[in-house]
Amino acid sequence: MNLKSGRIEGFEQYSQINSVKEFNTHIEMWLAVKKHEFSKGELIGLKRLVRFSAKVPGVCNAKIGTLLKAINVSR
């Protein structure tokens, strides 16, 4: 598979989730089981990644630098 960057709407076919509500439910259930495996900083990054994955539920095409800038972390 060869992916190229582009508008997030171009990645909708990769999502198996139908709505933001469904996405949030799955994230909450997954975190209930796995949250203890992450450090505080990792959870902050994961939660920001989840927020970037809401326009097309379950899909994020933001660059790593964009994510780090959003949580005020230097690379």
Side-chain angles (χ1 to χ4, degrees):
M1 178 177 355
N2 188 10
L3 297 176
K4 295 187 178 192
S5 63
R7 295 176 48 87
I8 189 70
E9 292 82 7
F11 297 93
E12 287 183 67
Q13 71 230 26
Y14 299 110
S15 180
Q16 298 178 0
I17 299 171
N18 298 315
S19 69
V20 173
K21 183 178 179 181
E22 179 186 357
F23 178 61
N24 288 336
T25 300
H26 283 283
I27 290 294
E28 287 175 22
M29 291 188 321
W30 184 80
L31 277 175
V33 175
K34 298 288 186 179
K35 187 176 184 175
H36 71 278
E37 296 179 24
F38 293 91
S39 69
K40 184 179 178 182
E42 289 170 335
L43 281 172
I44 290 169
L46 178 62
K47 288 177 181 181
R48 181 57 67 161
L49 179 63
V50 167
R51 289 182 72 191
F52 272 92
S53 302
K55 188 169 185 179
V56 175
V59 178
C60 177
N61 71 335
K63 298 176 197 171
I64 292 171
T66 302
L67 292 169
L68 294 175
K69 187 175 181 182
I71 57 175
N72 297 315
V73 175
S74 64
R75 205 169 192 177

